[in-house]
Amino acid sequence: MSEEQIKNLEDQFEARIARDEKIEPKDWMPDKYRKTHIRQMSQHAHSEVVGMLPEGNWITRAPSLRRKVALLAKIQDEAGHGLYLYSATETLGVSRNELYDQLHSGKAKYSSIFNYPTITWADMGAIGWLVDGAAIINQVPLCNTSYGPYARAMIRVCKEESFHQRQGYEIMMKLANGTPEQKDMAQDALNRWWWPSLMMLGPTDDKSVHTAQSMKWKLKRKSNDDLRQQFIDQTVPQAELIGLTIPDADLKWNEDRKSYDFGEIDWDEFWQVVKGHGPMNKERMKARVGAWEEGEWVRDAAMAHAKKKQERKQKQVV
Amino acid sequence: MSDKKNWPLWEIFVRSKNGLEHRHFGSLHAADAEMALENARDVYTRRNEGVSIWVVESKHITASNPEHNGELFEPAQDKVYRHPTFYDLPDEIKHM
């Protein structure tokens, strides 16, 4: 194709998205659209999968059967969400194995929030309430994104995610209304997860490299700073309701903006964690790569068994 | 792991309740059809979303090419006479 022809196709493509038409796997798309979607969608899938690890830590130690079945169901949902998103990414012509390789080799990123440790039961509450809360804010606009398979996967994810946040808040509420030690535990978890949850919504708008292009392709509907403000405004009253204090001395209602002003975020910490120097980066990758490598004989055995059954069936036909 | 050992891709169709058609829900990897069914149960119907599942190995699906949509679908475009509104009838006529 000549440069002019490509330019023409690109213009038509952008016009389709501007008209709110969806792009489907076999449609022509610019290389950059394909690559950006593979990057963002696989990053999203990896985050779901790695996100199971900090919570898996607490399954055997959940304080009651009610909490245990809920946590198990939440983690199973995350596995499911990872799978919806991986298969949606595969429609762009990349294989599952390539995607796993990118994660395991450190080439692909996942949400940096999962590189923090889960040291008390209250962390299960804080993750559900804050981390899933921030994730929902990020994800709801994606139900309407331009790439059909991604939008469809996100609709399923969003439907399932709201129980995650509610079960987390319920854990925090119970602890906050419990003994003084339990309330301290809840406050301590909020103290540790608050700032990483704010960072989870991404770098500030002036530092975010992908925003303009992503807005055009409806990979993003609101900027990181707007999403962060929305998260803060909706979460502060939730903390107040259960008597917990947001760990930010500068947090203050701004009557003119009808929004909360908030303190400086430690972006050095964010970039350190993104670059692999968070408290749990190595541990998470070790667990993930370990699970993949130790599962290889199972995957091979399943394939060998399937082949044998197939051959037996063919013999019977003859 | 050699490539030939990779679990193939399956397309998953779910009937959400009797009376409705099976609808494409997504895809997944599995060693064989039986495993694809079991995995589809876990991946796509964790909240009673289905009463019946079909699995088809993706390589068996033949799809039309959207670049040929013109010649493929264009013949239907100029056949307005296939629609009831094409026919001029008096307003007084009932049940038609």
Side-chain angles (χ1 to χ4, degrees):
Chain A
M1 252 186 289
S2 76
E3 247 172 71
E4 196 187 344
Q5 279 172 312
I6 291 176
K7 176 85 182 53
N8 199 3
L9 280 171
E10 278 176 355
D11 289 346
Q12 283 173 21
F13 180 85
E14 299 293 347
R16 286 181 65 192
I17 293 183
R19 283 196 302 269
D20 259 337
E21 278 180 36
K22 299 285 180 205
I23 307 302
E24 294 294 343
K26 293 175 74 110
D27 293 348
W28 183 88
M29 60 185 83
D31 254 0
K32 200 169 162 223
Y33 182 90
R34 189 182 298 277
K35 280 193 188 128
T36 304
H37 277 76
I38 290 176
R39 184 175 49 78
Q40 174 165 333
M41 290 165 71
S42 64
Q43 208 166 301
H44 199 156
H46 299 328
S47 301
E48 295 283 355
V49 168
V50 178
M52 292 192 279
L53 299 172
E55 293 175 314
N57 190 26
W58 281 94
I59 294 173
T60 56
R61 290 176 287 166
S64 69
L65 184 59
R66 187 176 190 273
R67 295 288 183 226
K68 188 172 183 160
V69 291
L71 186 60
L72 272 169
K74 177 178 193 284
I75 295 173
Q76 195 190 16
D77 274 350
E78 276 147 14
H81 298 175
L83 291 172
Y84 308 154
L85 289 163
Y86 278 130
S87 52
T89 315
E90 284 174 83
T91 62
L92 289 164
V94 59
S95 76
R96 182 74 59 95
N97 271 18
E98 282 173 79
L99 297 173
Y100 285 160
D101 277 347
Q102 289 169 1
L103 173 65
H104 298 162
S105 66
K107 197 178 150 229
K109 299 250 183 304
Y110 55 89
S111 183
S112 61
I113 194 102
F114 302 120
N115 292 316
Y116 290 87
T118 43
I119 56 186
T120 74
W121 170 251
D123 290 2
M124 295 305 99
I127 288 182
W129 175 30
L130 303 172
V131 176
D132 287 87
I136 291 169
I137 282 187
N138 241 334
Q139 287 170 349
V140 166
L142 289 173
C143 295
N144 220 354
T145 192
S146 65
Y147 189 54
Y150 194 23
R152 292 193 286 275
M154 288 319 299
I155 289 169
R156 303 182 59 82
V157 169
C158 288
K159 257 190 211 157
E160 297 179 354
E161 201 99 358
S162 82
F163 120 69
H164 297 184
Q165 195 188 15
R166 290 173 67 102
Q167 68 90 38
Y169 190 69
E170 198 193 72
I171 292 173
M172 291 302 262
M173 196 169 65
K174 201 86 177 176
L175 290 171
N177 291 322
T179 64
E181 289 83 1
Q182 287 172 329
K183 187 169 181 182
D184 286 349
M185 207 190 200
Q187 182 63 53
D188 165 66
L190 172 57
N191 292 350
R192 283 181 290 107
W193 290 95
W194 175 253
W195 293 103
S197 300
L198 296 190
M199 295 175 198
M200 198 183 146
L201 293 157
T204 50
D205 294 350
D206 53 328
K207 296 265 164 27
S208 179
V209 272
H210 303 297
T211 298
Q213 180 69 81
S214 296
M215 291 265 188
K216 222 162 82 191
W217 287 340
K218 300 178 193 195
L219 268 171
K220 233 179 196 323
R221 313 302 293 250
K222 283 182 179 180
S223 77
N224 294 349
D225 288 337
D226 287 349
L227 293 171
R228 195 164 10 249
Q229 187 71 60
Q230 183 189 341
F231 175 73
I232 292 169
D233 290 348
Q234 74 180 42
T235 310
V236 173
Q238 295 169 353
E240 282 168 357
L241 192 70
I242 52 175
L244 297 179
T245 311
I246 302 284
D248 179 356
D250 297 320
L251 189 80
K252 214 173 78 203
W253 178 252
N254 182 324
E255 187 56 35
D256 295 339
R257 290 200 305 123
K258 301 273 178 226
S259 258
Y260 283 93
D261 292 334
F262 55 97
E264 192 86 24
I265 294 171
D266 181 359
W267 290 109
D268 282 346
E269 175 184 322
F270 174 76
W271 291 115
Q272 282 298 314
V273 180
V274 168
K275 283 176 189 144
H277 309 299
M280 298 297 278
N281 295 58
K282 286 208 179 73
E283 180 64 32
R284 299 288 181 244
M285 271 309 101
K286 203 176 127 203
R288 175 62 208 148
V289 174
W292 178 246
E293 285 174 355
E294 282 159 31
E296 183 170 339
W297 72 270
V298 181
R299 295 190 298 276
D300 290 351
M303 227 28 222
H305 180 64
K307 201 172 150 224
K308 211 164 85 181
K309 267 200 312 192
Q310 185 70 28
E311 283 166 2
R312 202 176 300 150
K313 222 172 163 184
Q314 276 162 352
K315 241 183 244 162
Q316 279 169 357
V317 174
V318 179
Chain B
M1 200 165 92
S2 67
D3 231 34
K4 65 178 195 308
K5 281 194 208 156
N6 283 344
W7 290 358
L9 190 67
W10 300 76
E11 299 303 321
I12 311 303
F13 300 83
V14 176
R15 184 202 296 286
S16 35
K17 61 176 193 190
N18 275 11
L20 294 179
E21 68 280 53
H22 285 77
R23 197 164 59 82
H24 185 237
F25 262 45
S27 52
L28 51 77
H29 290 269
D32 59 19
E34 210 178 307
M35 188 197 268
L37 273 177
E38 283 164 9
N39 289 358
R41 195 262 323 254
D42 291 341
V43 176
Y44 292 106
T45 64
R46 285 193 302 286
R47 288 175 176 79
N48 297 316
E49 289 94 335
V51 294
S52 161
I53 303 175
W54 289 347
V55 299
V56 183
E57 208 179 325
S58 309
K59 69 175 184 198
H60 296 310
I61 289 184
T62 308
S64 65
N65 182 344
E67 277 166 38
H68 302 152
N69 274 5
E71 51 270 46
L72 194 61
F73 297 112
E74 195 262 335
Q77 273 168 14
D78 58 359
K79 295 179 177 58
V80 281
Y81 47 87
R82 285 177 177 167
H83 299 277
T85 45
F86 178 73
Y87 299 92
D88 293 325
L89 297 181
D91 291 344
E92 300 89 82
I93 195 93
K94 300 282 183 226
H95 308 298
M96 207 176 274

